[in-house]
Amino acid sequence: MARHLGVSVMTVSKALRDAPDVSAATKSRIKMLAQQMGYVPDSSAQGLRTKTTKLFGLVIPSSTNPIFARTVVAIEDRAHELGYDVLLAHSLNQPEREENCMRRFLSRRVDGLFISPVYRFEAEARIYQEVLVRKTPTVLLGPPAAFCKSFPSIEIEELIASYNATQHLLKLGHKRIAYFTGPPTAPWAHERFEGYRRALREAGLEVDDKLVFQAGSTIEDGTNAALQMLNESCDATAVQAVSDLVAIGCAETLLAQGLKIPEDISIVGFGNILTTEHFRVPMTTIRQPKFRLGVAAVEMMMSLIHGERVQPKRLPAELIERKSTAPPKASN
């Protein structure tokens, strides 16, 4: 290109990088020729020179979990605007796979990592210590646990949101509110459970262990918890589920057993995935700001890359009232 246009190689290089000391007319000629010749810059070579790759690594449990869809889109969209590409990997909630995904990203010399952690009981996880030693900018998508507490996080107000969901049921007149808990290792599940308990205590109600059922995070988990609740005849007039998928599994089971929602029992989910709005009985739930969470995560990442100190950030969530909740039968 330099020979064809009668300019130096340095001038061509600067023009393709939009350097300010090359005239607009020269840039236009060089870029037009580059387009005609099908020239594509070698990002790997550029990375060696600039010591950056313009790549982010993103590890989430699974793309099939709808709670992550909007967040992933937001991260990719904002990163694209800033000139970064995003490499996506799935941990499938397996610590060993998570470690492999993170190592592969580190070997690609990514400029930063976004991680939805695979929670475990252990206080330390070797891969997180290695990332810390390497000083790779890392943002957690969700609350930190002991093994990843050194990294900044972007999350929602889990406890307050769950508290508001319980308050909604209490205001409708429910006093026998069953709770379907989440994974025992997940801090977000503990915070949501604590929100439920706090609302009950403030209402002067004891937390009845017979109304608490171990679920998890899937539709199947919700199904199993609902069957256990029915078998134990706990006389609940409402169910508060730790997540929308658990709530959907519960609702499907109760409907299959001939119960009516909300006439016989009310149900509240958490997350506001698309299915809840279009479920047979549109479901009351907590709307998580999933897109805003992704945008905020990228903003936090850019602050880390620029060497700035950052603090964990929590975004508010809101209750969305739909047709799955109503006053209990006795008060109708």
Side-chain angles (χ1 to χ4, degrees), residues 5-72:
L5 295 171
V7 297
S8 68
V9 173
M10 180 61 72
T11 299
V12 173
S13 177
K14 286 185 174 182
L16 293 174
R17 288 185 282 115
D18 271 328
D21 56 344
V22 179
S23 70
T26 300
K27 283 182 184 178
S28 178
R29 290 170 54 218
I30 291 173
K31 290 182 178 181
M32 186 175 296
L33 179 61
Q35 186 175 11
Q36 291 171 356
M37 295 177 66
Y39 170 78
V40 177
D42 187 333
S43 59
S44 298
Q46 290 178 342
L48 290 173
R49 184 180 66 252
T50 63
K51 295 184 178 180
T52 63
T53 58
K54 291 293 182 179
L55 293 174
F56 290 137
L58 170 59
V59 183
I60 60 173
S62 174
S63 294
T64 59
N65 187 335
I67 209 69
F68 292 105
R70 293 278 291 164
T71 300
V72 170

Side-chain angles (χ1 to χ4, degrees), residues 219-241:
I219 291 177
E220 183 180 5
D221 292 331
T223 296
N224 293 335
L227 289 172
Q228 182 183 354
M229 181 181 70
L230 291 172
N231 289 336
E232 295 184 8
S233 303
C234 65
D235 299 325
T237 62
V239 174
Q240 182 176 340

Side-chain angles (χ1 to χ4, degrees), residues 102-141:
M102 292 170 69
R103 287 192 188 285
R104 289 178 183 180
F105 286 157
L106 292 174
S107 72
R108 298 284 298 272
R109 298 173 49 249
V110 295
D111 293 337
L113 290 169
F114 297 99
I115 309 291
S116 177
V118 177
Y119 294 110
R120 57 270 248 176
F121 289 113
E122 292 79 12
E124 292 186 359
R126 181 177 57 185
I127 184 61
Y128 283 89
Q129 292 301 313
E130 291 181 17
V131 171
L132 196 61
V133 170
R134 292 176 64 130
K135 298 183 179 179
T136 301
T138 299
V139 174
L140 302 182
L141 306 176

Side-chain angles (χ1 to χ4, degrees), residues 5 7 31 43 47-48 54 80 101 113 170 193 243 269 303 311 319 323:
L5 295 171
V7 297
K31 290 182 178 181
S43 59
L48 290 173
K54 291 293 182 179
H80 179 80
C101 293
L113 290 169
L170 290 168
F193 185 41
S243 72
S303 294
Q311 295 296 324
L319 180 75
K323 296 181 178 180

Side-chain angles (χ1 to χ4, degrees), residues 71-320:
T71 300
V72 170
V73 169
I75 289 174
E76 195 281 331
D77 184 58
R78 185 70 182 115
H80 179 80
E81 291 176 356
L82 294 168
Y84 289 81
D85 290 318
V86 178
L87 305 176
L88 176 64
H90 299 122
S91 67
L92 304 183
N93 278 318
Q94 300 169 7
E96 298 82 6
R97 185 180 173 100
E98 177 192 54
E99 181 172 339
N100 288 336
C101 293
M102 292 170 69
R103 287 192 188 285
R104 289 178 183 180
F105 286 157
L106 292 174
S107 72
R108 298 284 298 272
R109 298 173 49 249
V110 295
D111 293 337
L113 290 169
F114 297 99
I115 309 291
S116 177
V118 177
Y119 294 110
R120 57 270 248 176
F121 289 113
E122 292 79 12
E124 292 186 359
R126 181 177 57 185
I127 184 61
Y128 283 89
Q129 292 301 313
E130 291 181 17
V131 171
L132 196 61
V133 170
R134 292 176 64 130
K135 298 183 179 179
T136 301
T138 299
V139 174
L140 302 182
L141 306 176
F147 65 88
C148 55
K149 63 182 179 181
S150 300
F151 298 95
S153 61
I154 181 75
E155 54 188 293
I156 70 163
E157 293 281 8
E158 307 278 5
L159 190 152
I160 295 174
S162 181
Y163 171 92
N164 290 338
T166 311
Q167 280 274 355
H168 168 68
L169 293 171
L170 290 168
K171 288 176 181 177
L172 287 173
H174 294 279
K175 294 184 179 179
R176 299 285 294 170
I177 304 171
Y179 191 86
F180 288 9
T181 65
T185 58
W188 54 264
H190 293 290
E191 289 194 27
R192 294 177 193 182
F193 185 41
E194 179 55 32
Y196 160 82
R197 294 195 297 180
R198 183 175 298 182
L200 290 181
R201 287 196 299 264
E202 288 186 8
L205 298 174
E206 293 291 330
V207 178
D208 187 348
D209 290 340
K210 294 179 180 178
L211 289 171
V212 178
F213 298 88
Q214 180 62 49
S217 59
T218 67
I219 291 177
E220 183 180 5
D221 292 331
T223 296
N224 293 335
L227 289 172
Q228 182 183 354
M229 181 181 70
L230 291 172
N231 289 336
E232 295 184 8
S233 303
C234 65
D235 299 325
T237 62
V239 174
Q240 182 176 340
V242 72
S243 72
D244 282 342
L245 292 179
V246 170
I248 288 168
C250 171
E252 288 279 14
T253 302
L254 297 180
L255 291 171
Q257 294 294 319
L259 293 174
K260 295 180 180 179
I261 302 172
E263 292 85 353
D264 295 321
I265 190 165
S266 291
I267 298 180
V268 176
F270 198 113
N272 194 42
I273 63 174
L274 186 62
T275 308
T276 58
E277 185 177 358
H278 301 284
F279 189 66
R280 283 188 282 169
V281 182
M283 194 169 293
T284 297
T285 186
I286 296 293
R287 176 189 287 160
Q288 292 177 273
K290 295 179 280 292
F291 194 89
R292 284 193 288 122
L293 190 148
V295 171
V298 176
E299 291 173 354
M300 184 177 287
M301 176 64 74
M302 297 312 297
S303 294
L304 290 173
I305 287 174
H306 293 144
E308 301 170 9
R309 292 187 62 131
V310 300
Q311 295 296 324
K313 187 171 185 179
R314 289 177 177 251
L315 302 180
E318 62 177 318
L319 180 75
I320 304 298

